[in-house]
Amino acid sequence: MSLQEQRILPAIRRMKDLEKLLKTSYTYIVLLDSHVGQLKNIVDLGRANGKKLLLHADLIEGLKNDEYAAEFLCQSIRPAGIISTRGTVITKTKQNGLIAIQRLFLLDSSALEKSYTLLERTQPDYIEVLPGIIPHIIKEVKERSGIPIFAGGLIRSVGDVEQALGAGATAVTTSNTELWQQYHQRS
């Protein structure tokens, strides 16, 4: 599953941001905060404009984040992919043939080791590592898991993006609109 060489994955919280991104060459867009009642319309709007939305299942209001919710999202909403911290959601997403992105919060060595166990079980298509400003951990997770990495969280500058990419991240997820613009201009 290729991201078509897209190095920045814009992460949106508001419809106003989606409307801006519809006019760009970005194909993949991460939808963070949303409401279950709006999802179908948002995904359909994106699709009609050639955009592929990656839904963050953990942040959908009005929907419990479990395998039943994942089944609903996969069958009824049909985004390009789903992001979640929950292994059951990732497993169900993969079973339905959508892009499965396992989000990991790497707070300490214990969390890192538990994450490796989770990754062995879920085998996601991508891993999102947070915070994304720890290049040596990005490199380690990529080498140890063999799964492509997205770096997210606390990405504030072009330098942060370049460090994450230099450490082996496939792409960087960010809600920083200035970074969207800077990397859009480079493509």
Side-chain angles (χ1 to χ4, degrees), residues 111-129:
L112 181 59
E113 288 307 314
K114 288 178 184 175
S115 294
Y116 289 132
T117 302
L118 176 65
L119 294 172
E120 286 176 21
R121 190 175 77 244
T122 61
Q123 290 295 302
D125 299 304
Y126 295 94
I127 301 165
E128 184 183 27
V129 172

Side-chain angles (χ1 to χ4, degrees), residues 45-61:
L45 175 64
R47 190 176 293 120
N49 286 276
K51 306 303 178 191
K52 297 179 180 183
L53 271 72
L54 304 169
L55 302 183
H56 195 308
D58 302 1
L59 301 177
I60 299 171
E61 292 182 42

Side-chain angles (χ1 to χ4, degrees), residues 116-148:
Y116 289 132
T117 302
L118 176 65
L119 294 172
E120 286 176 21
R121 190 175 77 244
T122 61
Q123 290 295 302
D125 299 304
Y126 295 94
I127 301 165
E128 184 183 27
V129 172
L130 288 98
I133 54 170
I134 45 176
H136 65 285
I137 298 297
I138 292 169
K139 183 177 181 181
E140 177 186 322
V141 172
K142 182 179 180 189
E143 288 174 357
R144 188 159 166 189
S145 71
I147 300 169

Side-chain angles (χ1 to χ4, degrees), residues 1-35:
M1 282 173 221
S2 169
L3 292 177
Q4 302 165 333
E5 303 302 318
Q6 187 173 320
R7 306 301 269 167
I8 292 288
L9 294 172
I12 62 168
R13 296 185 191 288
R14 303 175 313 211
M15 280 300 295
K16 187 170 98 175
D17 289 333
L18 178 60
E19 291 167 2
K20 287 179 194 174
L21 289 169
L22 293 177
K23 300 171 188 167
T24 70
S25 62
Y26 287 117
T27 300
Y28 289 90
I29 299 169
V30 175
L31 180 61
L32 296 173
D33 303 323
S34 59
H35 185 277

Side-chain angles (χ1 to χ4, degrees), residues 8 26 158 161-162 179-187:
I8 292 288
Y26 287 117
V158 169
V161 172
E162 294 302 321
L179 291 174
W180 301 350
Q181 292 168 351
Q182 287 184 2
Y183 280 84
H184 178 256
Q185 293 167 353
R186 293 178 182 200
S187 57

Side-chain angles (χ1 to χ4, degrees), residues 91-108:
T91 300
K92 187 58 71 176
T93 301
K94 285 188 62 104
Q95 288 171 356
N96 279 276
L98 301 184
I99 299 170
I101 305 162
Q102 180 77 59
R103 189 177 229 202
L104 303 177
F105 290 100
L106 302 179
L107 306 173
D108 57 23

